[in-house]
Amino acid sequence: MTEDKIHGWAAFEAGTAVKPWSYTPRPLGENDVEIKILYSGICGSDLHTIKDEWAGTSFPAIVGHEIVGKVTKLGSGVSAHQIGDL
């Protein structure tokens, strides 16, 4: 991101309400694409994840894998996307 932190809503333990959370991401890798998320949906599997109903959830957990966003950074090995792509 253009910031030093990523901001989201995270569950900190199974079955609890999500709360704002920020963390510092790892450096962008050569095959990574950074996306500024504009919209996110939550599906049934996300709810199972934050309730840890399938076991094995690592907390804190930010869910919402159904996204719309804009490409903001590209790793040096990425050729299928351009900055600004939606």
Side-chain angles (χ1 to χ4, degrees):
M1 308 246 0
T2 55
E3 305 175 336
D4 295 322
K5 297 262 185 194
I6 290 179
H7 307 283
W9 289 81
F12 288 85
E13 59 185 49
T16 60
V18 294
K19 299 186 281 189
W21 184 53
S22 299
Y23 66 95
T24 302
R26 64 172 170 74
L28 194 72
E30 72 176 75
N31 296 311
D32 291 339
V33 176
E34 184 173 281
I35 300 170
K36 178 179 181 169
I37 298 172
L38 303 174
Y39 304 97
S40 175
I42 294 181
C43 70
S45 63
D46 295 322
L47 298 176
H48 289 295
T49 298
I50 61 175
K51 294 176 183 179
D52 198 25
E53 292 176 339
W54 294 333
T57 301
S58 296
F59 292 98
I62 296 178
V63 297
H65 60 274
E66 298 162 340
I67 65 165
V68 175
K70 183 182 275 191
V71 174
T72 58
K73 289 184 184 176
L74 299 170
S76 62
V78 176
S79 60
H81 301 285
Q82 301 286 325
I83 292 178
D85 283 355
L86 291 176

